[in-house]
Amino acid sequence: MTDETVLYSLDNGVATIRLNRPERLNAVTFDMLDLIRASLLRAVNEGARAVLLTGEGRAFCSGADLAGRMDRGPVDPAESLEFHYNPLAETLSKLPIPIVTAINGPAAGAGVGIALGGDIVVMAKSAYLLLAFSNIGLVPDCGATWLVAKSAGRAKALEMALLGEKMFADDAKDAGLVARVVEDDALMAEAGKLAATLAAKPTIALGLIRAQIKAALNNTLSETLSVEAAHQRIAGKTEDFREGVMAFLGKRAPEFKGK
């Protein structure tokens, strides 16, 4: 056993980050939110080329640890967002390497924002999403408002946020919130395979793609074309681009180095 609330490992270019409070369904504390963010930044600093984010035990993340929060006395929710939740959401969004999220069980409250912050989200068939905020008199946070509305649209976002009902895996996929749904016992194998695939790809280009898709969600066509041109200029100067072209011409598989 370990007392660490966030587990980190790096293997073959994939940084695996596990939320590790299974006895509390991985409910997040302020310290835990900061550790998740620090682990993401650590992955970049240590040369990881992809991140695999998941939870230990039977849940992905049940949201904020309300019991622990109340033990500390009154807390201004806005301050907790400013100093803990929002920095994590921004880091998930701006990370220069791709993120695969494996939703192994319930993702509720802020757990929805953390889960959907990945680029390729794989969900176990028995898992569910729950924007539970309206059930306790709060509003969605940790980026869930943006992520759900941009992915599923206004009607589905309002339904989820206002009613506070569970959305199971198949419905989440149909709504465009997750990329893949797999049997529970196949989740980590599928997510690990995807992370390994991404780690073997041209890392700089993948980071630019992350930023480019995010920009496209808010930009006009003309603005998007400008972003594409700027990013293509950067990508075209990388070693991986040169390797990709040489591999294509040589009719062989490329060996990207992430440079």
Side-chain angles (χ1 to χ4, degrees):
M1 292 292 291
T2 177
D3 293 329
E4 297 179 41
T5 59
V6 177
L7 302 178
Y8 174 93
S9 63
L10 177 61
D11 184 44
N12 290 325
V14 176
T16 300
I17 299 172
R18 296 176 180 268
L19 283 59
N20 187 43
R21 295 185 74 208
E23 75 286 354
R24 296 288 297 159
L25 301 181
N26 297 321
V28 289
T29 62
F30 296 156
D31 288 344
M32 192 172 172
L33 291 163
D34 297 343
L35 279 172
I36 298 168
R37 180 172 181 268
S39 297
L40 291 165
L41 297 175
R42 176 182 175 183
V44 175
N45 291 336
E46 292 186 352
R49 294 170 63 186
V51 169
L52 173 55
L53 178 61
T54 190
E56 285 287 296
R58 61 189 181 91
F60 176 81
C61 174
S62 59
D65 185 356
L66 296 178
R69 179 182 295 182
M70 296 306 291
D71 289 343
R72 295 186 177 189
V75 176
D76 181 353
E79 287 189 8
S80 69
L81 297 189
E82 181 180 357
F83 294 110
H84 303 285
Y85 290 90
N86 292 356
L88 173 57
E90 290 282 7
T91 298
L92 284 165
S93 174
K94 296 177 180 178
L95 210 69
I97 57 178
I99 303 168
V100 176
T101 308
I103 306 179
N104 56 301
V112 174
I114 296 171
L116 300 186
D119 302 303
I120 300 179
V121 184
V122 188
M123 194 169 183
K125 204 167 187 65
S126 69
Y128 62 81
L129 306 176
L130 173 61
L131 288 180
F133 300 92
S134 67
N135 298 333
I136 58 170
L138 288 177
V139 301
D141 58 27
C142 206
T145 308
W146 191 88
L147 291 162
V148 174
K150 289 293 186 181
S151 298
R154 175 181 179 274
K156 186 58 65 176
L158 284 168
E159 179 186 38
M160 290 179 67
L162 294 175
L163 295 178
E165 297 176 341
K166 297 177 182 178
M167 175 184 281
F168 286 93
D170 287 333
D171 290 334
K173 185 175 185 298
D174 290 343
L177 291 169
V178 304
R180 301 186 183 186
V181 172
V182 298
E183 297 297 332
D184 291 17
D185 59 3
L187 176 72
M188 293 311 298
E190 177 70 9
K193 181 175 69 175
L194 289 167
T197 297
L198 292 171
K201 284 183 170 290
T203 309
I204 294 173
L206 298 193
L208 294 170
I209 290 170
R210 292 193 86 228
Q212 193 164 302
I213 297 297
K214 178 185 174 184
L217 293 174
N218 298 305
N219 284 352
T220 64
L221 172 61
S222 294
E223 290 168 338
T224 301
L225 292 172
S226 295
V227 172
E228 289 176 349
H231 285 178
Q232 203 71 293
R233 183 172 296 108
I234 296 169
K237 295 178 181 178
T238 62
E239 294 180 19
D240 279 344
F241 169 64
R242 289 191 290 274
E243 165 61 13
V245 172
M246 294 303 295
F248 176 79
L249 295 175
K251 298 182 178 180
R252 60 174 175 82
E255 296 182 12
F256 296 119
K257 304 298 184 183
K259 300 179 181 179

